Amino acid sequence: MRLGQAGRKLALSLILAVALSGCMSGGGGRPELPPTTFVASREAPGEEYVIGPLDSLQIFVWRNPELSAKVQVRPDGRITTPLISDMPAVGKTPAMLADDMKYALSEYIKDPIVSVIVENFSGTFSQQVRIVGATEKPASIPYRANMTLLDAMIAVGGLSEFAAGNRARLVRFDKASGRQREYRVRLSDLLKNGDTSANVRLEPGDVIIIPESMF
């Protein structure tokens, strides 16, 4: 049975409508992450902190105040303290850096006890959450344990006037596969409509990309 001209026009209209609805939804075939609560029901520690460039560190050497110091990690990732010059710090946890300093100081004093405290932190790029595109103030913000999408958007002032929030995507590095994966995030539903199901948990290194509306 052949379709008449009116039938073909109707079929074409339906196909265009479906295609347009897919474009407007902005999913692009990307999966969505499971929703999370605005406030964690039970706080849990995040991954162990890794020192990054420009972090401020308090170095304490027990019973040797002249060797203790407050230093900032240089852009090249190193620090200098009394008796120790150009010690690599970036990429280490505070405990790892303390062990390395203990080994270096053991040439000068017997059985040194060293503590490293991070006072002001920026973190490495792999521990930051970056928000770019149509937001009020694109930025890289340090990841905090139990951080959610809502927390990150508050930190950057929300969406800009022309943002297509529901077409935003989240790029995440999958450690298991060693590849980047993209997820759809519904920022307009979250920020403008208060849709709790649109709030998702973030991970260190996440990148949120927000496009502008075409209209």
Side-chain angles (χ1 to χ4, degrees), residues 125-191:
F125 288 124
S126 63
Q127 289 188 308
Q128 294 178 358
V129 174
R130 283 165 279 182
I131 303 98
V132 297
T135 179
E136 289 298 327
K137 46 181 181 180
S140 293
I141 56 178
Y143 173 81
R144 303 191 308 275
N146 306 302
M147 178 180 281
T148 68
L149 183 62
L150 179 64
D151 299 325
M153 293 309 300
I154 290 174
V156 297
L159 298 171
S160 70
E161 181 181 357
F162 302 105
N166 281 352
R167 290 198 291 114
R169 63 187 191 273
L170 184 151
V171 182
R172 174 174 294 172
F173 179 74
D174 185 356
K175 295 179 180 178
S177 64
R179 300 175 62 184
Q180 287 188 340
R181 299 189 63 185
E182 292 193 4
Y183 300 90
R184 179 192 177 200
V185 285
R186 297 179 288 114
L187 292 177
S188 293
D189 289 347
L190 173 63
L191 300 177

Side-chain angles (χ1 to χ4, degrees), residues 17-197:
V18 171
L20 182 59
S21 64
C23 293
M24 293 299 290
S25 67
R30 298 184 184 94
E32 290 191 31
L33 293 164
T36 188
T37 56
F38 289 125
V39 179
S41 57
R42 185 174 69 88
E43 296 292 334
E47 297 180 3
E48 193 166 6
Y49 184 77
V50 176
I51 296 169
L54 305 183
D55 283 357
S56 293
L57 309 177
Q58 180 70 51
I59 312 294
F60 178 73
V61 184
W62 190 54
R63 290 186 176 177
N64 290 273
E66 70 281 1
L67 300 180
S68 301
K70 183 175 181 179
V71 299
Q72 185 176 47
V73 182
R74 302 197 306 257
D76 65 0
R78 299 172 181 270
I79 61 172
T80 295
T81 64
L83 299 181
I84 301 176
S85 61
D86 294 335
M87 167 70 74
V90 164
K92 300 177 182 178
T93 65
M96 290 168 60
L97 178 59
D99 287 342
D100 289 347
M101 295 195 66
K102 177 181 177 180
Y103 178 79
L105 288 172
S106 63
E107 296 185 18
Y108 307 100
I109 59 177
K110 183 179 180 180
D111 298 328
I113 299 175
V114 182
S115 298
V116 176
I117 300 172
V118 181
E119 294 192 335
N120 293 308
F121 58 92
S122 298
T124 61
F125 288 124
S126 63
Q127 289 188 308
Q128 294 178 358
V129 174
R130 283 165 279 182
I131 303 98
V132 297
T135 179
E136 289 298 327
K137 46 181 181 180
S140 293
I141 56 178
Y143 173 81
R144 303 191 308 275
N146 306 302
M147 178 180 281
T148 68
L149 183 62
L150 179 64
D151 299 325
M153 293 309 300
I154 290 174
V156 297
L159 298 171
S160 70
E161 181 181 357
F162 302 105
N166 281 352
R167 290 198 291 114
R169 63 187 191 273
L170 184 151
V171 182
R172 174 174 294 172
F173 179 74
D174 185 356
K175 295 179 180 178
S177 64
R179 300 175 62 184
Q180 287 188 340
R181 299 189 63 185
E182 292 193 4
Y183 300 90
R184 179 192 177 200
V185 285
R186 297 179 288 114
L187 292 177
S188 293
D189 289 347
L190 173 63
L191 300 177
K192 297 181 179 180
N193 302 329
D195 185 350
T196 58
S197 68

